[in-house]
Amino acid sequence: MGIAAFVLGIISMVIGWIPFICFLALMTAIIGLIFGIIDAIKKSKTNDKNKGFGIAGLIISAIAIPIILIMSLVSIGIMVEETEPDTIRDRYYYDYDYDDDYDDWLDDWYDNYRRDRINDYKTI
């Protein structure tokens, strides 16, 4: 179990730095932590001197968990940033092509409005 804890700790440490995949590494880190604790307790009861892999797996998994949590927050932040509109204009006209259609429509509307107001004043 000590070697399994060590291997799972290393896997979780390496995968924990990769955004969006770090969610999977949390599971391997927790399992490595549990295996490390079980191995350290079991070998301390039997006075076995070979508990190095278990303790190393325990430490690596314990260090990997905060790294994974930080990278998870970064991944969530990236997802939220990509889904939110950047400006107020994007919030209301998210699917509209502003550069061509909206500006032309607005210019035409304003010209028609101005022409109608001038005609209204001419009739008075």
Side-chain angles (χ1 to χ4, degrees), residues 82-122:
E82 289 181 359
T83 58
E84 280 188 11
D86 293 334
T87 63
I88 293 174
R89 188 175 187 181
D90 290 342
R91 289 182 196 155
Y92 294 111
Y93 303 103
Y94 191 74
D95 292 328
Y96 201 80
D97 185 14
Y98 306 106
D99 299 332
D100 301 321
D101 298 333
Y102 183 73
D103 292 335
D104 292 339
W105 176 83
L106 188 61
D107 291 338
D108 291 338
W109 178 84
Y110 183 71
D111 290 337
N112 290 334
Y113 176 79
R114 206 175 65 200
R115 186 175 57 246
D116 289 344
R117 296 290 78 82
I118 290 172
N119 288 336
D120 287 343
Y121 286 119
K122 286 181 182 177

Coordinates of all heavy atoms in Angstrom, one line a residue, residues 82-122:
E82 N -15.1 33.1 -19.4 CA -15.4 32.9 -20.8 C -16.9 32.9 -21.0 O -17.3 33.2 -22.1 CB -14.9 31.6 -21.2 CG -13.4 31.6 -21.4 CD -12.8 30.2 -21.8 OE1 -13.6 29.3 -22.0 OE2 -11.6 30.2 -22.0
T83 N -17.7 32.7 -20.0 CA -19.2 32.7 -20.2 C -19.8 34.1 -20.0 O -20.9 34.3 -20.5 CB -19.9 31.7 -19.4 OG1 -19.6 31.9 -18.0 CG2 -19.4 30.3 -19.7
E84 N -19.2 34.9 -19.2 CA -19.7 36.2 -19.0 C -19.5 37.2 -20.1 O -18.4 37.2 -20.7 CB -19.1 36.8 -17.7 CG -19.7 36.3 -16.4 CD -19.2 37.0 -15.2 OE1 -18.6 38.1 -15.4 OE2 -19.5 36.6 -14.1
P85 N -20.4 38.0 -20.5 CA -20.2 39.1 -21.5 C -19.2 40.1 -20.9 O -19.2 40.4 -19.7 CB -21.6 39.7 -21.7 CG -22.5 38.9 -20.9 CD -21.8 38.0 -20.0
D86 N -18.5 40.7 -21.8 CA -17.4 41.6 -21.4 C -18.0 43.0 -21.1 O -17.5 43.7 -20.2 CB -16.3 41.8 -22.5 CG -15.6 40.5 -22.6 OD1 -15.5 39.7 -21.6 OD2 -15.0 40.2 -23.7
T87 N -19.0 43.5 -21.8 CA -19.5 44.8 -21.6 C -21.0 44.8 -21.5 O -21.6 43.8 -21.7 CB -19.1 45.7 -22.9 OG1 -19.7 45.2 -24.0 CG2 -17.6 45.8 -23.1
I88 N -21.5 46.0 -21.2 CA -23.0 46.1 -21.0 C -23.6 45.9 -22.4 O -24.7 45.2 -22.5 CB -23.3 47.5 -20.5 CG1 -22.9 47.6 -19.0 CG2 -24.8 47.7 -20.6 CD1 -23.0 48.9 -18.4
R89 N -23.0 46.4 -23.4 CA -23.5 46.2 -24.8 C -23.6 44.7 -25.2 O -24.5 44.3 -25.8 CB -22.6 46.9 -25.8 CG -23.1 47.0 -27.2 CD -22.2 47.8 -28.0 NE -22.8 48.0 -29.3 CZ -22.3 48.7 -30.3 NH1 -21.1 49.3 -30.1 NH2 -22.8 48.9 -31.4
D90 N -22.6 43.9 -24.7 CA -22.6 42.5 -25.0 C -23.7 41.8 -24.2 O -24.2 40.8 -24.7 CB -21.3 41.9 -24.7 CG -20.2 42.3 -25.6 OD1 -20.5 42.8 -26.7 OD2 -19.0 42.2 -25.3
R91 N -24.0 42.3 -23.1 CA -25.1 41.7 -22.3 C -26.4 41.8 -22.9 O -27.2 40.8 -22.9 CB -25.2 42.3 -20.9 CG -24.0 42.0 -20.0 CD -24.1 42.6 -18.7 NE -22.8 42.6 -18.0 CZ -22.5 43.4 -17.1 NH1 -23.3 44.3 -16.6 NH2 -21.3 43.3 -16.5
Y92 N -26.7 42.9 -23.5 CA -28.1 43.1 -24.1 C -28.1 42.6 -25.6 O -29.2 42.2 -26.0 CB -28.5 44.5 -24.0 CG -28.7 44.9 -22.6 CD1 -27.8 45.8 -21.9 CD2 -29.7 44.4 -21.8 CE1 -28.0 46.1 -20.6 CE2 -29.9 44.7 -20.5 CZ -29.0 45.6 -19.9 OH -29.2 45.9 -18.6
Y93 N -27.1 42.8 -26.3 CA -27.0 42.4 -27.7 C -26.0 41.3 -27.9 O -25.1 41.5 -28.8 CB -26.8 43.6 -28.6 CG -27.8 44.7 -28.3 CD1 -27.4 45.8 -27.6 CD2 -29.0 44.6 -28.9 CE1 -28.3 46.8 -27.4 CE2 -30.0 45.6 -28.7 CZ -29.6 46.7 -27.9 OH -30.5 47.7 -27.7
Y94 N -26.1 40.3 -27.2 CA -25.0 39.3 -27.2 C -24.8 38.6 -28.6 O -23.7 38.4 -29.0 CB -25.3 38.2 -26.2 CG -24.2 37.3 -25.9 CD1 -23.1 37.7 -25.1 CD2 -24.2 36.0 -26.3 CE1 -22.0 36.9 -24.9 CE2 -23.1 35.2 -26.1 CZ -22.0 35.6 -25.4 OH -21.0 34.8 -25.1
D95 N -25.9 38.3 -29.3 CA -25.8 37.6 -30.5 C -25.8 38.5 -31.8 O -26.0 38.0 -32.9 CB -26.8 36.5 -30.6 CG -26.6 35.4 -29.6 OD1 -25.5 35.1 -29.3 OD2 -27.6 34.9 -29.2
Y96 N -25.8 39.8 -31.6 CA -26.0 40.7 -32.7 C -24.6 41.2 -33.2 O -23.7 41.4 -32.4 CB -26.8 41.9 -32.2 CG -27.5 42.6 -33.3 CD1 -28.7 42.1 -33.9 CD2 -27.0 43.7 -33.8 CE1 -29.3 42.7 -34.9 CE2 -27.6 44.4 -34.9 CZ -28.7 43.9 -35.4 OH -29.4 44.5 -36.5
D97 N -24.5 41.3 -34.5 CA -23.3 41.8 -35.1 C -23.4 43.4 -35.1 O -24.1 44.0 -35.8 CB -23.2 41.3 -36.5 CG -21.9 41.7 -37.2 OD1 -21.0 42.1 -36.5 OD2 -21.8 41.6 -38.4
Y98 N -22.6 44.0 -34.2 CA -22.7 45.4 -34.0 C -22.0 46.2 -35.1 O -22.4 47.3 -35.4 CB -21.9 45.8 -32.7 CG -22.4 45.1 -31.5 CD1 -21.6 44.1 -31.0 CD2 -23.6 45.3 -31.0 CE1 -22.0 43.4 -29.9 CE2 -24.0 44.6 -29.9 CZ -23.2 43.7 -29.3 OH -23.6 43.0 -28.3
D99 N -20.9 45.7 -35.6 CA -20.1 46.5 -36.4 C -20.8 47.0 -37.7 O -20.7 48.1 -38.1 CB -18.8 45.7 -36.8 CG -18.0 45.4 -35.6 OD1 -18.1 46.1 -34.6 OD2 -17.3 44.4 -35.7
D100 N -21.6 46.1 -38.3 CA -22.2 46.5 -39.5 C -23.7 46.8 -39.4 O -24.2 47.9 -39.6 CB -22.1 45.4 -40.6 CG -20.6 45.1 -40.8 OD1 -19.8 46.1 -40.8 OD2 -20.3 43.9 -41.0
D101 N -24.5 45.8 -39.0 CA -25.9 45.9 -39.0 C -26.5 46.8 -38.0 O -27.3 47.7 -38.4 CB -26.5 44.5 -38.8 CG -26.1 43.5 -39.9 OD1 -25.9 43.9 -41.0 OD2 -26.1 42.3 -39.6
Y102 N -26.1 46.7 -36.8 CA -26.7 47.6 -35.7 C -26.4 49.0 -36.0 O -27.3 49.9 -35.9 CB -26.2 47.2 -34.4 CG -26.8 47.9 -33.3 CD1 -28.1 47.7 -32.9 CD2 -26.1 48.9 -32.6 CE1 -28.7 48.4 -31.9 CE2 -26.7 49.7 -31.6 CZ -28.0 49.4 -31.3 OH -28.6 50.1 -30.3
D103 N -25.2 49.4 -36.3 CA -24.8 50.8 -36.5 C -25.5 51.3 -37.8 O -26.0 52.5 -37.8 CB -23.3 50.9 -36.7 CG -22.6 50.7 -35.4 OD1 -23.2 50.8 -34.3 OD2 -21.4 50.3 -35.5
D104 N -25.7 50.5 -38.8 CA -26.4 51.0 -40.0 C -27.9 51.2 -39.7 O -28.5 52.2 -40.1 CB -26.3 50.0 -41.2 CG -24.8 50.0 -41.7 OD1 -24.1 50.9 -41.5 OD2 -24.5 49.0 -42.3
W105 N -28.4 50.3 -39.0 CA -29.9 50.4 -38.6 C -30.1 51.6 -37.7 O -31.0 52.4 -37.9 CB -30.3 49.1 -37.8 CG -31.7 49.2 -37.3 CD1 -32.8 49.0 -38.1 CD2 -32.1 49.7 -36.1 NE1 -33.9 49.2 -37.3 CE2 -33.5 49.6 -36.1 CE3 -31.5 50.1 -34.9 CZ2 -34.3 50.0 -35.0 CZ3 -32.2 50.5 -33.8 CH2 -33.6 50.4 -33.8
L106 N -29.2 51.9 -36.8 CA -29.3 53.0 -35.9 C -29.2 54.3 -36.7 O -29.9 55.3 -36.5 CB -28.2 53.0 -34.8 CG -28.4 54.0 -33.7 CD1 -29.7 53.8 -33.0 CD2 -27.2 53.8 -32.7
D107 N -28.3 54.4 -37.6 CA -28.1 55.6 -38.5 C -29.3 55.8 -39.3 O -29.8 56.9 -39.4 CB -26.9 55.4 -39.4 CG -25.6 55.5 -38.6 OD1 -25.6 56.0 -37.5 OD2 -24.6 55.0 -39.1
D108 N -29.9 54.7 -39.9 CA -31.1 54.9 -40.7 C -32.3 55.3 -39.9 O -33.1 56.2 -40.3 CB -31.5 53.6 -41.4 CG -30.5 53.2 -42.5 OD1 -29.8 54.1 -43.0 OD2 -30.4 52.0 -42.8
W109 N -32.4 54.8 -38.7 CA -33.5 55.2 -37.8 C -33.4 56.6 -37.4 O -34.4 57.4 -37.4 CB -33.5 54.3 -36.5 CG -34.5 54.7 -35.6 CD1 -35.8 54.3 -35.6 CD2 -34.4 55.6 -34.5 NE1 -36.5 54.9 -34.6 CE2 -35.7 55.7 -33.9 CE3 -33.4 56.3 -34.0 CZ2 -35.9 56.5 -32.8 CZ3 -33.6 57.2 -32.9 CH2 -34.9 57.2 -32.3
Y110 N -32.2 57.1 -37.1 CA -32.0 58.5 -36.7 C -32.2 59.4 -37.9 O -32.9 60.4 -37.7 CB -30.6 58.7 -36.2 CG -30.3 60.1 -35.7 CD1 -30.9 60.5 -34.5 CD2 -29.6 60.9 -36.4 CE1 -30.7 61.8 -34.1 CE2 -29.3 62.2 -36.0 CZ -29.9 62.7 -34.8 OH -29.7 64.0 -34.4
D111 N -31.8 59.0 -39.1 CA -32.1 59.9 -40.2 C -33.6 60.0 -40.5 O -34.1 61.1 -40.8 CB -31.4 59.3 -41.5 CG -29.9 59.5 -41.4 OD1 -29.4 60.4 -40.7 OD2 -29.2 58.8 -42.1
N112 N -34.3 58.9 -40.4 CA -35.8 58.9 -40.6 C -36.5 59.7 -39.5 O -37.4 60.5 -39.8 CB -36.3 57.5 -40.6 CG -35.9 56.7 -41.9 OD1 -35.7 57.4 -42.9 ND2 -35.9 55.4 -41.8
Y113 N -36.0 59.6 -38.3 CA -36.6 60.3 -37.2 C -36.4 61.8 -37.4 O -37.3 62.6 -37.2 CB -35.9 59.8 -35.9 CG -36.4 60.6 -34.7 CD1 -37.6 60.4 -34.0 CD2 -35.6 61.6 -34.1 CE1 -38.0 61.1 -33.0 CE2 -36.0 62.4 -33.0 CZ -37.2 62.1 -32.5 OH -37.6 62.8 -31.4
R114 N -35.2 62.2 -37.8 CA -34.9 63.6 -38.0 C -35.7 64.2 -39.1 O -36.2 65.3 -39.1 CB -33.4 63.8 -38.3 CG -32.9 65.1 -37.9 CD -31.4 65.2 -38.1 NE -31.1 65.1 -39.5 CZ -30.0 64.7 -40.0 NH1 -29.0 64.5 -39.2 NH2 -29.8 64.6 -41.3
R115 N -35.8 63.4 -40.2 CA -36.6 63.8 -41.4 C -38.1 64.0 -41.0 O -38.7 65.0 -41.3 CB -36.5 62.8 -42.5 CG -37.1 63.3 -43.8 CD -36.9 62.4 -45.0 NE -37.3 61.0 -44.7 CZ -36.5 60.0 -44.6 NH1 -35.2 60.1 -44.8 NH2 -37.0 58.8 -44.4
D116 N -38.6 63.1 -40.2 CA -40.0 63.2 -39.7 C -40.2 64.4 -38.9 O -41.2 65.1 -38.9 CB -40.4 61.9 -39.0 CG -40.5 60.7 -39.9 OD1 -40.6 60.9 -41.1 OD2 -40.6 59.6 -39.4
R117 N -39.3 64.7 -38.0 CA -39.4 65.9 -37.1 C -39.4 67.2 -37.9 O -40.1 68.1 -37.7 CB -38.3 65.9 -36.1 CG -38.3 64.7 -35.1 CD -39.5 64.8 -34.1 NE -40.8 64.3 -34.6 CZ -41.2 63.1 -34.7 NH1 -40.5 62.1 -34.4 NH2 -42.5 62.8 -35.1
I118 N -38.5 67.2 -39.0 CA -38.4 68.4 -39.8 C -39.7 68.5 -40.6 O -40.2 69.7 -40.7 CB -37.2 68.3 -40.8 CG1 -35.9 68.4 -40.0 CG2 -37.2 69.3 -41.9 CD1 -34.7 68.1 -40.8
N119 N -40.3 67.4 -41.1 CA -41.6 67.5 -41.8 C -42.7 68.0 -40.8 O -43.6 68.7 -41.2 CB -41.9 66.2 -42.4 CG -41.0 65.9 -43.6 OD1 -40.5 66.8 -44.2 ND2 -40.9 64.6 -43.9
D120 N -42.6 67.5 -39.6 CA -43.6 68.0 -38.6 C -43.6 69.5 -38.4 O -44.6 70.2 -38.3 CB -43.4 67.2 -37.3 CG -43.9 65.8 -37.4 OD1 -44.6 65.4 -38.3 OD2 -43.5 65.0 -36.4
Y121 N -42.4 70.0 -38.3 CA -42.2 71.5 -38.1 C -42.6 72.3 -39.4 O -43.1 73.4 -39.3 CB -40.8 71.8 -37.7 CG -40.5 71.4 -36.3 CD1 -39.5 70.5 -36.1 CD2 -41.2 72.0 -35.3 CE1 -39.1 70.2 -34.8 CE2 -40.9 71.6 -34.0 CZ -39.9 70.7 -33.7 OH -39.6 70.3 -32.4
K122 N -42.5 71.7 -40.5 CA -42.9 72.4 -41.8 C -44.4 72.5 -41.8 O -44.9 73.4 -42.4 CB -42.4 71.7 -43.0 CG -40.9 71.8 -43.2 CD -40.5 71.1 -44.5 CE -39.0 71.2 -44.7 NZ -38.5 70.5 -45.8

